Amino acid sequence: MRNHNVETISPQGLDLQERVIEINRVAKVVKGGRRFSFTALVAVGDEDSVVGIGYGKAREVPLAIQKAVENARKSLIRVPKFGQTIPHRNIGRFGSGHVVLRPASPGTGVIAGGGVRAVLELAGIRDVLSKSIGSQNPINLVKATMEGLMGLRRPEDVAKLRGLSIKQVLGLDLQEAAAKLAAENAEEPTAQAPVAEPVAVAAGEGPAEPAAPEAEGEPPAAAEEGPQGG
């Protein structure tokens, strides 16, 4: 669902990067035959938090790209972010194309392809998981991605509506409590097995020495010596 509090941005003073997503040749059938022209799908953004898409058509490719860029600069929005990822999961829908956007941990990267990757990278999102469902038409996927980004809400707005703190909305309080509990458990000494007390030994008595094993093949000593011969 689209967030109606989407912040639109003016392109003035922004260092916008352009990325051509698709160029297609189309034909119009007239009485004298077919008249060919080109369409261009372009995404622009500052690679921080501002992104927009545009579509243009002309008889020549450079002119079609120029028209698409001008159209994209008129539809810039600011994307809510949490660090380098998005604040929550969302699904963007356009036509029969669906794009699922999910937050990712730092270092994951942009798991997306085609036009979806271009839009997310120009929006300044560095860690995100995405999945396209349904139509694989680039126009549908790009517009579904924009719908998903426009449906994101800022943690501050959600916290204000629910009467909670931002940490509670993002679940950071539970993570801090779990980390604190783990630290307390690590500081507790581990239970040791009881050690047997040494037995007192009487004075003059040493510890019993183990008997030496008898050597194999050695005959036992004679009990008494025989009489000496005269």
Side-chain angles (χ1 to χ4, degrees), residues 96-182:
S96 60
H98 298 177
V99 175
V100 182
L101 302 175
R102 297 180 60 185
S105 57
T108 303
V110 179
I111 309 301
V116 179
R117 170 182 285 270
V119 173
L120 295 176
E121 289 181 347
L122 289 175
I125 299 174
R126 299 290 177 263
D127 302 303
V128 67
L129 302 173
S130 70
K131 176 66 177 177
S132 59
I133 303 172
S135 173
Q136 298 300 311
N137 186 301
I139 299 176
N140 284 352
L141 290 182
V142 168
K143 291 189 176 182
T145 304
M146 289 297 296
E147 289 290 330
L149 294 178
M150 286 189 287
L152 296 176
R153 297 193 292 176
R154 292 178 175 81
E156 299 84 3
D157 300 337
V158 178
K160 185 177 180 181
L161 290 175
R162 298 181 182 179
L164 303 174
S165 64
I166 297 178
K167 288 186 177 182
Q168 290 175 330
V169 171
L170 296 175
L172 299 179
D173 55 337
L174 299 178
Q175 296 180 6
E176 293 178 356
K180 184 177 180 180
L181 181 60

Side-chain angles (χ1 to χ4, degrees), residues 17-91:
Q17 305 294 327
E18 306 169 3
R19 191 170 301 183
V20 179
I21 298 174
E22 187 196 28
I23 295 178
N24 189 27
R25 191 184 74 167
V26 296
K28 178 182 179 181
V29 178
V30 295
K31 185 176 180 180
R34 288 184 294 178
R35 187 174 297 171
F36 293 99
S37 58
F38 296 90
T39 63
L41 181 63
V42 177
V44 299
D46 63 349
E47 296 183 346
D48 183 19
S49 60
V50 177
V51 69
I53 60 171
Y55 188 76
K57 183 168 69 171
R59 298 293 298 271
E60 301 293 336
V61 173
L63 188 55
I65 295 176
Q66 180 181 352
K67 287 184 177 181
V69 171
E70 293 176 356
N71 187 16
R73 293 171 65 91
K74 297 177 183 178
S75 61
L76 296 176
I77 64 169
R78 188 174 298 278
V79 179
K81 296 196 306 178
F82 175 65
Q84 297 294 328
T85 186
I86 57 179
H88 59 85
R89 178 179 179 272
N90 197 22
I91 300 177

